[in-house]
Amino acid sequence: MKTLQRIGQWTCASHGWTFLGSLLIAVCLMTAQAGADEPYARSKDYDLQHSKIVLAFDVEHKKVIGDVTHTLSVLKDGTGKLAFDSVGLTIQSVTVNKATSKFTVSATELTVQLASAAKKGDKFEVQIKYEGKTSKGAYFILPDKDYPNRPAQIWTQGESEDTRYYLPTYDYPNARLTTETILTVPAAWVTVANGKLIGVRDAGNGMKTWSWQESVPSSTYLITVVAGEFDELKETWRGKPVTYYAPKGRGDRLKINYGRTPQMLELFTKKLGVDYPWEKYAQVMVDEFVAGGMENSSATTNTSSSLIHPKLAPEYATGQDPLISHELAHQWFGDLVTTKDWGNIWLNEGFATFMETMWSESYFPKDQSEYERWSNIQQWFAQSDLWAKPIVRHDFDDSSEFDGNAYNKGGLVLDMLRHQLGEDAFYRGLKHYLEVNRGKNVVSADLAKAMEEATNTNVDQFFSQWIYGAGAPKFDLSYSYDVAKHQVTLKVKQTQKLEGRVGLFRIPTTVEITTAAGTKAFPFTVSKPEEAFWFAADSAPLMVLFDNGGHILKSAECHKEKKEWLYQLKNASELADRADAVQALAKLKDDADVDSALGETLRSDKAWGVRATAADSLGERKTPAAAKQLLDALNGAKEPWVRGRVVAALGNFKDNADVLAKLESVAKDDQSYRARAAALQALGKLKAPNALATLDAAVKADSPDNFLRNAALRAMGPLGDDKAVSTLKEWAVVGKPLDTRQAAIYSLARLQKDDKQITQQIAGYLTEAHFPVRYSSIFALGERGDASAIPALEALLKSDDLSIEMVPMIKGQIAKLKRGPGKKPAAEAGEDGEDASGDAGVGKRLERLEKMLQEMNDRLKNIEERLPQKK
Ligand SMILES: [Zn+2]
């Protein structure tokens, strides 16, 4: 799963963050608030082998009408009943081998009585007829009076434990079954489910019945059903159908965003040496999706926000490829070979993240994947809550297992393993892992075993420190040169605190030493708290690079002089080493050499990631000299993804007339929409004197997908000019596009804070069916600080259509309003246990939530340049 935040794009208004495009992780962190997933695989009473799933939909009442027949084989002698996960469904009848059976229903289970105790190996057909208005699992996105032209869409999302909300079944990854999915829908609709399309027949009354069949077994969380009004684009790859679906009317966006899918199929099949395992590959883009993407077997579902407008799509360095390659990679890692339990979820997510890199490396210039790796390392260290947790863990009551360790660190660890084993051995190991575990559920030991079998290299120690251990090495590095001995002494200290699961690291690496005579690399292994290494060098080194190229997940304090960093910035051959130099130099404040060196890098480094990092660093310097460097570089910054960063960096220079004039002109007519949007944001942030006129003009003008209007509306809040209120009120109302409303609500909450009418307007949006607006409104009210919103939020808590993760969000905002402005939650000191109903409990959960949101923000900031976003 590519875990976006809830739903396409939404705004966490209380923190001023926009949640955009197809990004990582957040929802699952949210979900963790509601109740953690089962950490260990269950012991099974039966083996579910096949499910025939017959569904129809009562669209008006948003109900699923189901008839499922499970074929299963009993695993234990004396089994007298069969339990199925089932939440919120009304079970109408159950038969076992066609005979009516007794059953009982609890809040979470359907239990079916067998006529007599069964023996191991006995087979049963259990047919369950049921219906339900689903609160999770299956979602109905339909036209309504406010959005009459919206294409109808019904879609499901199973991972992690939500299939049971629309289908009574065995709902844990350690079962594998084949499926038939038979869907009766209005004749004009399209359906997509797992496997091959067997046929479509007329069902009378303006309805049609679609039959799908999946003959390769996979887990129940990978079952998918999509039905609705879609445009379809068909291609083939090696004779298999490769199809793409967009909500009706957006079919022209499929090719430009998704057209590289067959090339990815080819690459992955070749690299892995294991054929794409399924009968077809469909990608269905749906509105208001609850994740970024979901790798259902043979039929991925992605957020429709990945369907970037054709005029905006070229403004993103890698387009939608990170999302597309991630979900495609899961078809091998996750779907063909599946984690046995949620505690080993990195075996799905770490691989999918790693394979994004593989695609990047193969398709884009070399510096793209290098920049992604460098950024991912920075990003992982920025999420301090990940530090103490190992990648494999079974204690996720407090924070979801779908975290930055499973994804980001998992991907980086695989990349390190590749670096250590070498390309050939590594892929030989992966091929073996996939082949011996094909169609099975795995734990991390299965990967270690396969790698060792295929490469004759023992990886136990590697797994011990990186997979079962926590943290990462923090190095303190210094070197000296002995003229007489012609020798470099490198001193390496590991400074990470050794506690809990964090230990010392043993890592083979290299040091690259450059002298006037040339460059040499020396392999060696670090393993101790403090050690020294000696390397021959004919003269005093110009540059010493520990772990050159930045392959290790590490942080390093390098004791180097300014001139060494300047040399490294200009001369290091690998991106990571130059990007490190940018960051080290940026710490030297009030230094004209640094300003001009960073400016030079911004204008001329060969890698865009280094140029963009230099722009960020110049922005943080906030000096007139830094502003001048940014202004001088802007003309040459052609790529929109760099241009946007340069403009955003200019948003740090208050009261600089040159900067403001440039921002005005970029906002009005730059060739890049992303640069224009960044300029609008910067003008708001800087509270520029004439900004309101510029923002107003941008709101009035049209742009692809309201791109500039949304940016301007969102900038009005930070601008803080109450004259924007009438515009914001106008664009917040029902009927306007949802993302535009979110931007308007975000800013509206920040203006005329004593005006209770505004509070009431926003509170009025809490009960809407449109989840993105709901989310924005909940956080906007918390931010606004007007306690008169409390009754509306409390009423919302009682409504029956809240997603589970919404409850703590709402409670958090109520607590914030009750505390009053500027007060921190009364958690920490005097926290007395787990009484979640009391103030302390709410405060504690709010803190946790706020921390999670902060983490999300960190992650999002980092992946902004990798993934599409809308301002
Ligand atoms: Zn994933």
Side-chain angles (χ1 to χ4, degrees), residues 378-389 404-405 470-471 474 502 851 854-856 858-859:
Q378 310 282 312
Q379 183 191 357
W380 185 80
F381 273 97
Q383 293 171 253
S384 54
D385 71 307
L386 298 175
W387 177 260
K389 298 170 189 165
N405 284 332
K474 292 183 175 174
V502 181
K851 203 165 128 236
Q854 180 64 54
E855 293 156 13
M856 276 184 245
D858 293 342
R859 279 179 208 125

Side-chain angles (χ1 to χ4, degrees), residues 40 69 207 210 231 492 541 654 674 744 841:
Y40 289 100
T69 305
M207 306 292 277
W210 297 59
D231 290 337
V492 181
K654 233 175 156 33
R674 287 184 74 182

Side-chain angles (χ1 to χ4, degrees), residues 662-683:
K662 187 47 126 183
L663 288 173
E664 287 279 347
S665 98
V666 171
K668 280 178 186 138
D669 58 9
D670 199 78
Q671 74 266 26
S672 154
Y673 287 109
R674 287 184 74 182
R676 291 177 72 180
L680 292 165
Q681 302 269 281
L683 287 167

Side-chain angles (χ1 to χ4, degrees), residues 1-3 159 293 295 326-327 330 348-349 352-353 402 407:
M1 174 160 50
K2 190 94 173 176
T3 58
E159 196 177 28
E295 67 273 16
H326 181 106
E327 302 310 333
H330 274 310
N348 294 9
E349 300 304 344
T353 307
F402 288 83
Y407 285 76

Side-chain angles (χ1 to χ4, degrees), residues 421-691:
L421 294 175
E423 188 88 1
D424 288 351
F426 177 76
Y427 283 108
R428 203 161 62 241
L430 290 198
K431 182 174 194 298
H432 185 58
Y433 168 70
L434 287 170
E435 280 172 346
V436 296
N437 296 298
R438 165 188 287 272
K440 292 185 184 160
N441 291 82
V442 284
V443 293
S444 301
D446 295 310
L447 176 63
K449 183 164 179 249
M451 295 310 286
E452 182 170 344
E453 283 173 356
T455 65
N456 296 311
T457 303
N458 185 328
V459 295
D460 293 347
Q461 191 267 330
F462 181 93
F463 271 60
S464 170
Q465 67 190 20
W466 289 116
I467 306 296
Y468 307 113
K474 292 183 175 174
F475 292 111
D476 181 279
L477 304 163
S478 56
Y479 74 88
S480 57
Y481 182 66
D482 186 325
V483 182
K485 292 183 180 158
H486 295 285
Q487 205 173 56
V488 171
T489 305
L490 176 67
K491 286 192 177 156
V492 181
K493 288 186 211 168
Q494 294 193 37
T495 62
Q496 69 274 14
K497 200 167 176 196
L498 308 181
E499 62 180 353
R501 306 284 281 270
V502 181
L504 281 174
F505 283 77
R506 179 186 181 85
I507 304 172
T509 182
T510 50
V511 63
E512 187 189 274
I513 298 174
T514 302
T515 65
T519 295
K520 264 191 187 164
F522 303 89
F524 66 112
T525 297
V526 296
S527 62
K528 299 188 178 122
E530 199 167 341
E531 49 199 324
F533 302 90
W534 292 269
F535 307 101
D538 43 35
S539 58
L542 297 163
M543 184 164 67
V544 175
L545 299 173
F546 172 83
D547 179 35
N548 51 301
H551 295 277
I552 304 171
L553 173 60
K554 67 172 191 305
S555 68
E557 179 71 33
C558 304
H559 301 281
K560 292 185 183 178
E561 289 173 22
K562 183 172 89 177
K563 67 168 197 239
E564 294 174 281
W565 286 120
L566 289 170
Y567 184 92
Q568 181 172 331
L569 181 64
K570 254 190 129 79
N571 297 287
S573 60
E574 306 233 34
L575 176 142
D577 301 313
R578 300 198 303 283
D580 283 345
V582 168
Q583 290 199 327
L585 286 165
K587 289 183 191 148
L588 308 175
K589 301 290 176 205
D590 300 321
D591 188 313
D593 293 343
V594 170
D595 291 325
S596 61
L598 292 178
E600 170 69 19
T601 298
L602 172 54
R603 287 187 299 275
S604 63
D605 195 278
K606 62 189 175 193
W608 76 261
V610 177
R611 283 185 272 132
T613 305
D616 299 346
S617 293
L618 283 164
E620 283 155 22
R621 292 175 81 72
K622 300 189 177 165
T623 57
K628 188 166 182 320
Q629 294 293 346
L630 285 164
L631 289 169
D632 288 351
L634 191 56
N635 280 343
K638 298 290 180 218
E639 306 101 313
W641 44 95
V642 178
R643 213 170 162 71
R645 291 265 282 272
V646 176
V647 172
L650 286 170
N652 290 300
F653 300 90
K654 233 175 156 33
D655 307 320
N656 182 320
D658 294 340
V659 166
L660 294 180
K662 187 47 126 183
L663 288 173
E664 287 279 347
S665 98
V666 171
K668 280 178 186 138
D669 58 9
D670 199 78
Q671 74 266 26
S672 154
Y673 287 109
R674 287 184 74 182
R676 291 177 72 180
L680 292 165
Q681 302 269 281
L683 287 167
K685 182 177 161 193
L686 290 172
K687 302 188 191 298
N690 304 318

